[in-house]
Amino acid sequence: MTSKIKNFPGTPLSESDFTEGKVLSIHDEMRPQFAWDTGIGIGSYLAALKEGYLLGSHCKTCEKTVIPPRTVCEWCFDPMDSYVRLEDTGTINTFSLCYVTWDVQRITEPELPAVIEIDGASPLHGILHKLGEVKPEDIHIGMKVQAVWKPAEEREGAITDILYFKPIKEAGS
Amino acid sequence: MSERVAVIGVGWSGYRPVSPELSYKELMYEAAVKAYADAGVDPRTEVDSFVSVAEDFIEGTSIFDEYVPDQLGAALKPVHTIPGDGLHGLATGVMLVKTGQAHVVAVEAHSKASNVLSLPEITAYAQDPVLNRPLKLNSEFIAGLEMHRYMHETGTSLEQCAAVAVKNKRNALNNPLAAYGANWILDDALNGPQLAWPLIKSQASDHADGAIVVVLASETRAKVLSDRPVWVLGAGWCNGAPSLESREWGTVPYITKAADMAYRQAGIDNPKEAIKFAEVDDTYAYKELMHLEALGLCGRGEAGSLTEEGMTKTDGKLPVNASGGSLGMGHLLDASGMSRALEVVLQLRGNAGDRQLAEVDIGLAQSWRGVPTTSGAVVILAN
Ligand SMILES: [Zn+2]
């Protein structure tokens, strides 16, 4: 329809009308800066990542082991004060193939976010990370994966101390 | 609709200039655990609805209500966050009970001011982006403008403002929650670096970290759950015209309106007689004086001289900020008003320790959301 219209009513605006200041607007660039005290629960988790292992916490009342560890159980509100070392392996609960980057660029090779239920944690308890060393078409829900860590000297106590999770070759496959 | 609302439990964490050992969630959890223990309620089964106050811009996370439930025991329960002061949160909780939506409500407010590394810049974002912010003035200039005009109109002196700071810093020495208590003399509050003349740094509060949780209940439930309920007689709030160009610089009519709303609900005709003690905003020392006048607790232009005469000391006719106020406790961002409601509750219950006031049965808490706002709230509490 609109392709037939040669001249739209009104005054058309182009991007240059804004950049050249013909249309007035105020531009501003924020410089907000925050820190987050990680506290007891997440602080312990990050310290463990720096050491190269995964840490969870356990609620005796609910008999649940969760990761990342937290100081309060969200189900029963009891304190969670026992910490458990967990495997760095797990099972893909869900995943996606992302064709748009963080800063909104289109890409052809997708990024691979996944929720991984960690072995030793209660069912449905996992961590969000990315997958690697795998073709997108080979990924499936229920796939067994393992963390690929940064070298010890490069780890800084951050979720990025794990580079990604890669498939574990299942016995017999 | 007519059921009264009571505070049946209070809890707190802090207040400290920094709190690196706890995450903001753990700070909130500490306050929540204490409040639920104080109220004798299990949040998982006995609290019907949860309110938290938070400003995304200050938290550094958008849609902050997502970060609230776990540590309040609110997972899979009705929760909402409002960007206001703690007293706005309390008013919201009162409405939830009054409308019959909930019988027991938990209201939370917190400050992790130490984690906001560029707090002055964040505060500047409350200025109008087109008309005011391009002038690139530190937001405290607004307090300087207001203080100057208030002193001009009322004849209030810098010494009278200093007397507020001295009183509150000293009161804070008797409050274990307070982070900035000091045994000041007048000279301490009259000297020091300028911020925005006539405002000097010693008459401005420093920030603190902390969290406060208050549990509210309907009259029916309060009588079952609590043997010492504190009743919310009134809750009012109001905003003025935000314009920096045409506001009434020498007065704060929005505080008067908020107070009138609360007094009306409480059936108070003569606040000077009815209110036995008050916790009012003292982000800057002069604000305590402005607020006392706006609340009708003294006449216009009288607050300064009455303060010098000792009326607002803990042994005076109208103790004001026995807690130490923001000058003594530390400014808790949007938890500031809640820290005042907490103090009023502790005083009414006789739990205020070394700073316990004698024979108080009705108290007032008032908040202001800081520069550049004309936003305030008032809550009246009684035994
Ligand atoms: Zn549990």
Side-chain angles (χ1 to χ4, degrees):
Chain A
M1 284 289 281
T2 52
S3 61
K4 291 178 185 166
I5 302 174
K6 289 276 188 291
N7 293 306
F8 287 98
T11 308
L13 290 175
S14 69
E15 192 172 339
S16 65
D17 290 330
F18 289 88
T19 54
E20 290 164 18
K22 290 178 188 165
V23 176
L24 297 180
S25 63
I26 300 292
H27 288 260
D28 193 15
E29 213 161 287
M30 269 197 89
R31 286 179 300 152
Q33 288 181 48
F34 301 93
W36 280 273
D37 293 324
T38 53
I40 300 161
I42 299 299
S44 308
Y45 182 58
L46 297 181
L49 288 175
K50 192 171 182 181
E51 295 301 312
Y53 65 94
L54 296 181
L55 192 70
S57 59
H58 181 74
C59 176
K60 296 181 196 83
T61 312
C62 300
E63 296 187 336
K64 273 190 182 182
T65 300
V66 303
I67 180 171
R70 57 208 72 168
T71 48
V72 53
C73 175
E74 69 187 85
W75 301 275
C76 71
F77 205 63
D78 282 350
M80 269 194 178
D81 48 12
S82 79
Y83 289 79
V84 210
R85 186 171 174 154
L86 300 172
E87 300 297 322
D88 69 350
T89 55
T91 308
I92 295 177
N93 175 297
T94 183
F95 69 97
S96 179
L97 312 178
C98 273
Y99 288 91
V100 181
T101 62
W102 164 262
D103 53 351
V104 207
Q105 307 296 313
R106 265 203 185 281
I107 45 177
T108 48
E109 285 298 312
E111 295 186 290
L112 309 170
V115 174
I116 296 135
E117 294 183 29
I118 296 298
D119 291 336
S122 299
L124 300 180
H125 287 282
I127 64 179
L128 172 72
H129 219 290
K130 291 181 182 181
L131 302 172
E133 293 184 42
V134 62
K135 287 188 192 138
E137 58 268 31
D138 293 339
I139 309 170
H140 58 88
I141 286 175
M143 187 178 226
K144 294 290 293 176
V145 291
Q146 178 162 29
V148 176
W149 295 82
K150 269 186 185 170
E153 62 275 16
E154 289 175 28
R155 293 199 292 259
E156 54 189 8
I159 190 67
T160 45
D161 288 348
I162 295 172
L163 293 167
Y164 51 83
F165 281 77
K166 68 170 184 184
I168 300 172
K169 269 227 151 42
E170 281 153 50
S173 65
Chain B
M1 281 293 285
S2 61
E3 249 202 320
R4 292 194 297 168
V5 181
V7 173
I8 62 163
V10 288
W12 60 89
S13 175
Y15 316 128
R16 297 188 286 281
V18 293
S19 53
E21 74 283 11
L22 294 177
S23 69
Y24 69 88
K25 288 191 174 188
E26 291 162 354
L27 206 62
M28 289 162 72
Y29 177 52
E30 190 179 316
V33 167
K34 288 183 189 169
Y36 300 142
D38 187 39
V41 295
D42 177 348
R44 303 302 292 143
T45 55
E46 291 173 288
V47 178
D48 304 314
S49 197
F50 300 80
V51 180
S52 104
V53 298
E55 183 79 66
D56 289 0
F57 239 164
I58 285 170
E59 303 298 335
T61 43
S62 300
I63 318 180
F64 186 76
D65 50 305
E66 284 295 292
Y67 295 85
V68 166
D70 305 18
Q71 64 272 24
L72 293 184
L76 286 175
K77 302 196 94 177
V79 186
H80 67 279
T81 295
I82 57 167
D85 172 87
L87 296 190
H88 292 99
L90 267 189
T92 304
V94 168
M95 288 189 283
L96 280 166
V97 175
K98 286 248 179 200
T99 54
Q101 295 294 310
H103 299 291
V104 179
V105 178
V107 186
E108 185 275 344
H110 63 277
S111 160
K112 256 288 191 182
S114 68
N115 278 182
V116 191
L117 304 182
S118 57
L119 189 54
E121 281 203 41
I122 299 291
T123 307
Y125 268 81
Q127 292 181 41
D128 185 289
V130 176
L131 297 176
N132 304 139
R133 213 191 303 147
L135 300 174
K136 291 197 180 299
L137 287 160
N138 183 294
S139 298
E140 266 160 349
F141 83 94
I142 296 158
L145 296 175
E146 183 180 63
M147 181 178 175
H148 189 195
R149 186 72 202 183
Y150 168 68
M151 292 168 78
H152 174 77
E153 287 182 14
T154 58
T156 302
S157 69
L158 196 63
E159 287 73 15
Q160 290 170 338
C161 298
V164 171
V166 169
K167 167 180 68 74
N168 293 357
K169 288 276 188 185
R170 285 186 181 173
N171 283 353
L173 290 172
N174 286 324
N175 184 355
L177 279 74
Y180 296 101
N183 193 17
W184 273 14
I185 58 168
L186 214 55
D187 268 356
D188 295 309
L190 284 168
N191 293 307
Q194 290 283 346
L195 286 179
W197 182 91
L199 179 65
I200 54 179
K201 189 164 188 317
S202 54
Q203 295 192 15
S205 53
D206 291 307
H207 289 98
D209 296 350
I212 301 125
V213 171
V214 172
V215 182
L216 299 171
S218 63
E219 184 164 9
T220 314
R221 290 296 269 283
K223 284 180 171 163
V224 175
L225 290 165
S226 179
D227 54 7
R228 50 178 181 183
V230 169
W231 301 101
V232 184
L233 298 192
W237 62 96
C238 184
N239 280 43
S243 163
L244 294 181
E245 288 78 8
S246 54
R247 68 170 63 170
E248 296 174 55
W249 282 100
T251 59
V252 284
Y254 52 95
I255 296 297
T256 304
K257 291 256 184 186
D260 286 348
M261 181 175 168
Y263 292 147
R264 198 164 54 241
Q265 292 166 14
I268 291 173
D269 297 323
N270 185 351
K272 277 184 210 172
E273 288 302 316
I275 304 296
K276 298 299 191 304
F277 70 106
E279 287 283 323
V280 310
D281 177 84
D282 64 332
T283 301
Y284 310 105
Y286 78 91
K287 289 300 277 183
E288 176 170 316
L289 302 176
M290 275 191 116
H291 289 149
L292 287 175
E293 293 168 12
L295 292 164
L297 297 176
C298 66
R300 169 90 168 139
E302 287 178 7
S305 52
L306 290 171
T307 299
E308 280 183 319
E309 290 161 18
M311 184 187 88
T312 55
K313 287 185 176 171
T314 47
D315 58 357
K317 181 173 171 285
L318 177 77
V320 175
N321 290 334
S323 65
S326 287
L327 289 162
M329 291 193 290
H331 195 277
L332 294 165
L333 300 176
D334 281 329
S336 294
M338 200 69 131
S339 73
R340 306 317 182 76
L342 167 65
E343 176 69 11
V344 174
V345 170
L346 294 177
Q347 291 285 357
L348 289 170
R349 297 200 319 201
N351 295 151
D354 289 344
R355 64 190 189 285
Q356 181 63 50
L357 301 169
E359 293 171 28
V360 284
D361 57 0
I362 176 163
L364 175 149
Q366 175 255 327
S367 65
W368 169 56
R369 293 200 71 204
V371 289
T373 79
T374 51
S375 173
V378 173
V379 168
I380 296 161
L381 298 158
N383 279 328

